[in-house]
Amino acid sequence: MKQIKVALTLVGLTAAALSLTACQIVASPMAGTIFNETKYGNMATDEATATKEGKACGTSILGWVAQGDASIVAAKANAGITKVTSVDHSAKNLLGIFGEWCTIVKGN
């Protein structure tokens, strides 16, 4: 019985250690081992007359649990945009513990 407890403890400790190895749990063009906060573009039109900006985000905890709606549709709805002029993304990662990925839409 004692051997089973020791084995389960080792498995638990190994899983915990691997979950805290600073893996980047959100998409980004750059990797930051300890911290990452980047913003990068994805699409733009010739129109530079955007008057509104909408943002929609999703979050991840330990890379185990993720939730949110980071879609272009949600970002448009959040700002009342009907015509999109640019779509950007931002990513945050803190030690692989907390991650956030956002879509930022500009338009009218």
Side-chain angles (χ1 to χ4, degrees), residues 1-7:
M1 188 68 164
K2 185 177 180 182
Q3 290 175 341
I4 292 174
K5 286 183 180 180
V6 170

Side-chain angles (χ1 to χ4, degrees), residues 48-100:
T49 59
T51 58
K52 300 176 183 176
E53 179 177 299
K55 187 174 182 179
C57 300
T59 58
S60 176
I61 299 171
L62 294 174
W64 293 354
V65 178
Q67 69 173 10
D69 183 354
S71 67
I72 292 172
V73 172
K76 284 174 56 179
N78 289 340
I81 295 172
T82 56
K83 186 174 182 181
V84 175
T85 58
S86 70
V87 177
D88 294 317
H89 299 284
S90 67
K92 282 184 191 176
N93 179 43
L94 179 60
L95 294 173
I97 296 169
F98 174 79
E100 179 183 68

Side-chain angles (χ1 to χ4, degrees), residues 18-71:
L18 290 175
S19 72
L20 299 174
T21 58
C23 296
Q24 186 161 327
I25 56 176
V26 292
S28 173
M30 296 182 287
T33 303
I34 295 172
F35 180 74
N36 177 15
E37 184 171 9
T38 55
K39 185 175 179 183
Y40 52 100
N42 191 33
M43 179 208 69
T45 65
D46 291 335
E47 290 188 42
T49 59
T51 58
K52 300 176 183 176
E53 179 177 299
K55 187 174 182 179
C57 300
T59 58
S60 176
I61 299 171
L62 294 174
W64 293 354
V65 178
Q67 69 173 10
D69 183 354
S71 67

